[in-house]
């Protein structure tokens, strides 16, 4: 029995089409665990979006993946070009590409030395230059971009644009993006295409009107694939139910029940990513206070689980196992049937489901 | 590299001589401009590479009420090598000198172009209801050098001053210019410049000529007549006129530097003054600075005639640019400023965006108080 992601297919596809329609120049992002949906499925769906250009009015010529190792999952299922967002380095998987795949790849280059090395190995390589943003992860400074512009010269090159990776959670990205775009002009690079992510729809609109001579291409992952949460439901199966009295011993660790109720065994454990602490991205005081409160419950032997029965989140009876979890259901609550599906709240990017069912 | 330049005060004569050797500089950076802005303390400063003078600046010191601290202002300046990718080497000695002289902040307006639009693009923008601002129109060119200056100023901690809506408090960021040389740098002919104008302008110039409008250069004795017409224009167009004494000082001070530095132009029809203007030229840059026109006899098109005379004079003097100065960024057909843009666009030139005015706060607390003071003054 498995952890299952059920997708309301009609609703999901409608959301994908709507997102593509209002995001001209869209570059879908398919990386990692495929946002819980799997890379292969996203690649097929990207191809489907490309095939629906008549409906969206938004040609889709580029799909972004995170790493070179992910290329194998997407290239057989998607016909267009593939942008690899991890910067090219003169080592590792980037050097193992077969010729057919290499011809479809757009590399990301983040160091002047790498630009020279890539062009030496593959004179016809296509690439975007990554700019250093306030995130300070990878990327070139203005002067490095200028050096790159000089190295490229005016001759026809593989330059496809510049890429920015902006940090999350700042009030507005517009000031930073304006400065970065100005740096592109200052560098003299012969391109007017900029790839960005994490901009709101309103910010994209402002940028496009402020830079009418630029093509601003949004890279979108979460908001595309997971943007309509109502279309996605993750469920676990109730595998077993055991009544317990206060003091009864159960589980791997021989814990005892704090009061009478039921031990409910459900599918889904650490192998799926259940019960692992992943940062939620929510850094508000309230969220941190909630984390502290949960820590307190942990000490007392009560930890809130992501499983909910009849709309109420239930406590783990003990830490999750590899493929199953034990929940504690106090007496008075309805006891679920074996085989019943219960809802699980997961972080899609950190969870591997056993099955994806698209209705 | 950063230590190669030094800065010290220089005499007005050294300042003047340096500018005379430049192809162009803003007239707001000439030592004569200091006399026009007599209510501000001023200073000429010079950058030296060893013993060689390599750049100059006119600094106007504006005192903050009640405090002996100053805003050091270099309008449309300084006159330095803005193409240098090491602007820190130029600005650091300037800033430390001004700080030692009691400045709480430095304000300057780098005379570099960041974007250009053709007259056709501006015209199409006004006609397009979806376009509200000049920036909504794809520019003819984004200038790499201007962008490099902007990038460096950001890196060096300077803050760009806003130009929300109409004209900014300082010098206009958007100007309208007619190039008087071709792309190859060769001078354009009168016929070529005329052909670049729109039909209405050409027709009006012809019409003025036919109706017997006579345009001639005036002397200081004509300043009073200019001012009377200018005050009339101010009343009609609802702006506050400057006093006659301001123009007297300006003509005397700028005129002392070079006989062609400042020119008074008068257009008469059957003895009546129908338009009068002031033009300024520094090197290859010619400006239309102030204009006035009568409400009577508009049909004889004195304004077009006097502009054409100024353009021809600039051409003859070997100028590369005829600058009609500020326009607002708005291209909204309903905006009252759009009429002025349309008049200037008729000359067939280019809308030009400059890097704008930039501040470097040296004392944050006083700078903040100064900004509050400006905001309250409105």
């Amino acid at each position: 029995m498995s952890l299952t992601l059920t997708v309301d297919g009609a609703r999901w596809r409608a959301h994908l089409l709507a997102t593509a329609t209002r995001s001209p120049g869209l570059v879908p992002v398919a990386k990692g665990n495929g946002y819980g949906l799997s890379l292969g499925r996203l690649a097929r769906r990207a191809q489907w979006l490309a095939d629906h250009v008549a409906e969206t009015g938004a040609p889709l010529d580029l799909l972004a993946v995170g790493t070179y190792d992910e290329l194998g999952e997407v290239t057989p299922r998607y016909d267009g070009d593939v942008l690899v967002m991890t910067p090219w380095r003169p080592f590792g998987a980037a050097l193992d590409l077969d010729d057919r795949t290499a011809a479809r790849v757009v590399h990301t280059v983040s160091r002047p030395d790498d630009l020279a090395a890539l062009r030496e190995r593959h004179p016809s390589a296509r690439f975007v230059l990554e700019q250093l943003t306030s995130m300070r992860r990878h990327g070139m400074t203005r002067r490095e971009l200028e050096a790159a512009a000089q190295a490229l010269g005016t001759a026809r090159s593989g330059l496809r644009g510049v890429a920015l990776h902006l940090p999350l959670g700042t009030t507005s990205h517009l000031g930073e993006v304006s400065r970065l775009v100005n740096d592109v002009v200052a560098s003299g690079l012969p391109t007017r295409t900029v790839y960005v992510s994490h901009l709101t729809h309103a910010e994209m609109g402002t940028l496009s009107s402020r830079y009418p001579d630029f093509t601003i291409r949004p890279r979108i992952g979460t908001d595309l694939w997971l943007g309509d949460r109502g279309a996605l439901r993750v469920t676990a199966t109730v595998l077993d139910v055991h009544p317990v009295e206060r003091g009864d011993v159960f589980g791997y660790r021989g814990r005892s029940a704090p009061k009478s109720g039921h031990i409910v065994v459900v599918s889904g454990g650490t192998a799926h990513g259940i019960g692992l602490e992943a940062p939620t991205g929510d850094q508000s005081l309230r969220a941190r206070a909630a984390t502290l409160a949960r820590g307190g419950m942990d000490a007392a032997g009560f930890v809130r689980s992501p499983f909910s029965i009849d709309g109420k989140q239930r406590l783990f009876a003990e830490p999750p196992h590899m493929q199953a979890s034990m929940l504690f259901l106090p007496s008075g609550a309805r006891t679920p049937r074996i085989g019943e599906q219960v809802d699980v709240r997961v972080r899609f990017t950190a969870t591997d489901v056993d099955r994806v069912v698209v209705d | 590299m950063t230590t190669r330049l030094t800065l010290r005060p220089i005499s007005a004569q050294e300042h003047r001589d340096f500018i005379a050797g430049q192809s162009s500089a803003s007239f707001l950076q000439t030592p004569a401009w200091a006399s026009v802005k007599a209510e501000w303390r001023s200073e000429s400063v010079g950058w030296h590479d060893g013993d060689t003078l390599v750049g100059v600046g006119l600094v106007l010191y504006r005192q903050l009420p009640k405090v002996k601290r100053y805003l050091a202002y270099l309008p449309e300046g300084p006159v330095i090598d803005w193409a240098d990718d090491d602007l820190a080497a130029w600005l650091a000695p300037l800033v430390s000198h001004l700080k030692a002289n009691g400045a709480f902040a430095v304000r300057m307006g780098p005379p570099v172009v960041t974007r250009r639009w053709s007259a056709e693009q501006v015209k199409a923008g006004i006609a397009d209801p979806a376009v509200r601002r000049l920036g909504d129109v794809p520019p003819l060119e984004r200038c790499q050098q201007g962008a490099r200056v902007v990038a460096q100023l950001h890196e060096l901690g300077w803050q760009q001053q806003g130009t929300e809506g109409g004209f900014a408090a300082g010098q206009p960021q958007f100007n309208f210019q007619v190039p008087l040389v071709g792309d190859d740098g060769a001078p354009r002919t009168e016929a070529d410049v005329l052909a670049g104008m729109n039909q209405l302008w050409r027709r009006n110039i012809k019409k003025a000529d036919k109706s017997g409008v006579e345009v001639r250069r005036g002397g200081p004795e004509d300043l009073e007549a200019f001012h009377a017409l200018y005050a009339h224009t101010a009343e009609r167009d609802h702006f506050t006129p400057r006093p006659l004494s301001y123009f007297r000082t300006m003509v005397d001070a700028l005129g002392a530097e070079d006989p062609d530095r400042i020119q008074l132009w008068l257009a008469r029809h059957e003895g009546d003054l129908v338009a009068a203007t002031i033009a300024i030229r520094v090197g290859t840059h010619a400006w239309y600075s102030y204009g006035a026109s009568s409400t009577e006899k508009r049909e004889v098109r004195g304004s077009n005639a006097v502009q054409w005379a100024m353009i021809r004079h600039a051409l003859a003097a070997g100028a590369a640019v005829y600058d009609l100065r500020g326009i607002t960024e708005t291209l909204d057909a309903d905006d009252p400023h759009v009429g002025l843009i349309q008049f200037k666009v008729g000359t067939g030139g280019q809308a030009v965006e400059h890097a704008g005015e930039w501040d470097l706060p040296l004392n944050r607390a006083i700078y903040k108080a100064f900004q509050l003071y400006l905001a309250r003054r409105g």
Side-chain angles (χ1 to χ4, degrees):
Chain A
M1 287 299 150
S2 46
L3 195 65
T4 306
L5 166 58
T6 309
V7 181
D8 177 342
R11 183 170 166 175
W12 188 54
R13 287 187 293 271
H15 164 76
L16 298 182
L17 289 173
T19 306
T21 304
R22 64 185 168 89
S23 313
L26 169 72
V27 181
V29 177
K31 63 179 178 182
N33 68 343
Y35 296 83
L37 292 146
S38 88
L39 286 177
R41 179 171 285 102
L42 298 189
R44 274 197 304 274
R45 200 46 65 185
Q47 184 60 47
W48 175 84
L49 273 174
D51 295 341
H52 281 70
V53 59
E55 227 166 302
T56 60
L60 196 152
D61 57 352
L62 197 58
L63 174 68
V65 295
T67 65
Y68 286 93
D69 291 308
E70 291 167 354
L71 283 169
E73 283 295 305
V74 306
T75 47
R77 299 174 173 92
Y78 166 78
D79 294 340
D81 290 338
V82 184
L83 170 72
V84 181
M85 293 189 290
T86 296
W88 186 90
R89 292 284 185 262
F91 50 78
L95 308 186
D96 299 335
L97 298 184
D98 63 77
D99 288 349
R100 270 185 57 195
T101 306
R104 291 174 56 193
V105 166
V106 177
H107 305 273
T108 297
V109 177
S110 69
R111 300 188 305 173
D113 288 353
D114 290 347
L115 180 62
L118 172 63
R119 280 159 54 85
E120 198 180 303
R121 278 167 202 267
H122 305 287
S124 61
R126 294 172 305 154
F127 53 89
V128 297
L129 297 179
E130 183 167 353
Q131 265 186 291
L132 190 66
T133 68
S134 60
M135 189 149 92
R136 303 207 164 269
R137 189 172 60 181
H138 311 297
M140 299 197 194
T141 62
R142 175 177 67 84
R143 282 171 205 266
E144 285 172 338
L145 285 183
E146 197 162 327
Q150 265 156 26
L152 293 175
T154 50
R156 204 180 144 77
S157 74
L159 179 65
R160 286 293 176 274
V162 293
L164 325 174
H165 284 85
L166 297 165
L168 284 166
T170 52
T171 45
S172 167
H173 289 108
L174 283 178
E176 179 167 11
V177 175
S178 302
R179 283 185 59 175
L180 292 165
V181 174
N182 180 72
D183 285 353
V184 174
V185 178
S187 73
L189 281 171
T191 181
R192 288 290 181 263
T193 302
V194 179
Y195 295 84
V196 294
S197 54
H198 301 141
L199 290 184
T200 64
H201 193 57
E203 286 174 328
M204 279 299 297
T206 307
L207 267 188
S208 304
S209 77
R210 203 179 281 179
Y211 298 96
D213 49 334
F214 275 75
T215 305
I216 315 274
R217 301 197 61 175
R219 283 183 315 249
I220 307 181
T222 308
D223 286 350
L224 176 65
W225 309 119
L226 306 176
D228 184 1
R229 286 296 167 107
L232 310 166
R233 186 178 173 217
V234 178
T235 53
T237 310
V238 176
L239 301 175
D240 238 323
V241 181
H242 308 289
V244 286
E245 291 301 326
R246 182 167 188 266
D248 282 357
V249 175
F250 65 90
Y252 266 130
R253 292 167 173 81
R255 285 188 174 193
S256 57
K259 49 188 172 180
S260 70
H262 289 85
I263 298 292
V264 179
V265 185
V266 293
S267 60
T270 52
H272 304 92
I274 298 281
L276 298 177
E277 280 286 332
T280 59
D282 186 353
Q283 290 301 309
S284 67
L285 203 59
R286 195 191 149 102
R288 278 150 59 192
T291 306
L292 276 176
R294 280 200 297 276
M297 292 205 303
D298 192 10
F302 295 89
V303 180
R304 204 148 60 124
S305 83
F307 298 91
S308 48
I309 301 171
D310 296 336
K312 190 166 166 36
Q313 249 180 303
R314 290 303 175 184
L315 303 177
F316 278 124
E318 68 167 3
H321 302 162
M322 195 133 129
Q323 307 215 291
S325 295
M326 296 177 95
L327 310 178
F328 181 73
L329 195 64
S331 55
R334 182 188 70 87
T335 317
R337 284 177 291 108
I338 291 172
E340 191 176 323
Q341 296 292 303
V342 299
D343 284 324
V344 195
R345 206 179 62 183
V346 300
R347 207 157 172 234
F348 285 86
T349 51
T351 307
D352 284 313
V353 299
D354 299 304
R355 293 177 63 209
V356 179
V357 179
V358 183
D359 289 344
Chain B
M1 214 155 100
T2 308
T3 52
R4 74 178 200 266
L5 297 173
T6 55
L7 179 125
R8 60 175 180 267
I10 54 171
S11 70
Q13 190 58 49
E14 285 177 283
H15 187 166
R16 247 193 308 276
D17 291 347
F18 183 85
I19 285 182
Q22 297 290 299
S23 91
S24 80
S26 170
F27 64 89
L28 304 178
Q29 280 294 304
T30 59
W33 192 249
S35 351
V36 181
K37 294 287 160 187
E39 71 276 25
W40 295 33
R41 189 159 66 80
S42 66
E43 186 183 32
S44 291
V45 295
W47 279 262
H48 295 83
D49 187 351
D51 287 333
T52 317
L53 187 63
V54 289
V56 297
L58 175 71
V59 186
L60 302 173
Y61 291 93
R62 178 171 177 177
Q63 194 182 340
L64 202 63
K66 296 179 198 151
V67 195
K68 275 224 168 307
R69 300 299 289 274
Y70 304 87
L71 172 71
Y73 181 36
L74 296 98
E76 296 186 358
V79 185
I80 60 172
D81 179 9
W82 290 100
D84 194 333
D85 203 22
D86 186 13
L87 285 182
W90 293 87
L91 297 175
L94 172 70
V95 168
S96 58
H97 171 80
L98 298 176
K99 199 171 183 176
N101 273 345
F104 66 87
V106 186
R107 175 171 296 177
M108 63 177 184
V112 293
V113 173
T114 43
R115 283 184 284 180
R116 296 178 189 279
W117 293 263
S118 71
E120 293 73 35
Q121 288 177 310
V122 177
K123 209 178 122 192
I126 295 170
D128 183 348
V131 170
R132 306 192 69 82
R133 299 172 323 132
L134 197 50
D136 297 341
V137 179
L140 201 60
E141 184 195 1
R142 282 185 195 267
C143 311
Q144 184 182 358
Q145 193 204 318
R148 275 170 97 187
V149 169
V150 167
Q152 289 189 78
L153 293 179
H154 275 302
E155 287 159 12
L156 297 171
W158 292 73
Q159 300 170 5
Q160 188 164 26
Q161 300 306 296
T163 52
E164 297 294 315
F167 287 107
Q171 299 305 322
Q173 187 174 359
F174 293 91
N175 290 284
F176 204 84
Q177 299 179 344
V178 182
L180 300 183
V181 292
D183 290 336
D184 55 354
R188 294 173 68 191
T189 62
E190 280 184 20
D192 187 36
V193 174
L194 197 59
M197 293 184 176
N198 72 10
Q199 208 187 7
L200 185 66
W201 262 83
R202 290 200 303 269
R203 205 160 51 207
N204 286 343
I205 288 169
K206 208 177 277 175
K207 198 167 177 181
D209 193 37
K210 265 198 183 153
S211 18
V213 171
E214 282 176 20
V215 183
R216 64 165 185 86
R217 266 186 81 170
E221 68 283 2
D222 294 305
L223 205 51
E224 224 164 305
F226 160 81
H227 193 262
L229 192 63
Y230 163 77
H232 167 81
T233 308
E235 198 182 338
R236 183 188 67 219
D237 296 347
H238 310 292
F239 64 86
T240 314
R242 293 185 182 280
L244 177 59
S245 58
Y246 181 85
F247 291 100
R248 276 202 204 290
T249 314
M250 192 157 117
V251 167
D252 289 348
L254 293 183
E257 281 192 355
D258 179 326
D260 200 45
R261 178 76 86 232
I262 183 160
Q263 314 133 31
L264 192 59
W265 291 88
L266 305 129
R268 287 198 164 82
H269 181 258
E270 293 167 354
D272 299 325
L273 189 62
V274 289
T277 54
I278 288 176
I280 297 177
R281 184 173 63 80
V282 182
T284 59
H285 204 113
W287 290 268
Y288 155 52
S289 193
Y290 284 93
S293 63
S294 65
T295 311
E296 308 281 295
K297 292 194 174 181
R298 294 187 81 72
E299 71 284 356
V300 301
R301 302 296 170 189
S303 290
N304 298 96
V306 77
Q307 288 289 340
W308 178 231
M310 286 191 289
I311 292 171
R312 288 174 62 196
H313 179 77
L315 267 172
V321 178
Y322 181 74
D323 194 327
L324 292 111
R325 288 192 70 80
I327 55 171
T328 53
E329 206 195 345
T330 182
L331 292 187
D332 190 339
D334 296 329
D335 192 287
H337 291 298
V338 89
L340 180 68
I341 300 177
Q342 278 169 321
F343 176 77
K344 294 183 178 179
V345 165
T347 60
Q350 295 178 337
V352 169
E353 180 197 47
H354 288 93
E357 299 208 313
W358 294 72
D359 283 8
L360 184 71
L362 303 176
N363 179 319
R364 298 212 166 254
I366 299 182
Y367 181 70
K368 216 164 185 179
F370 166 72
Q371 283 186 312
L372 274 175
Y373 160 75
L374 282 188
R376 275 206 207 108
R377 250 180 21 142

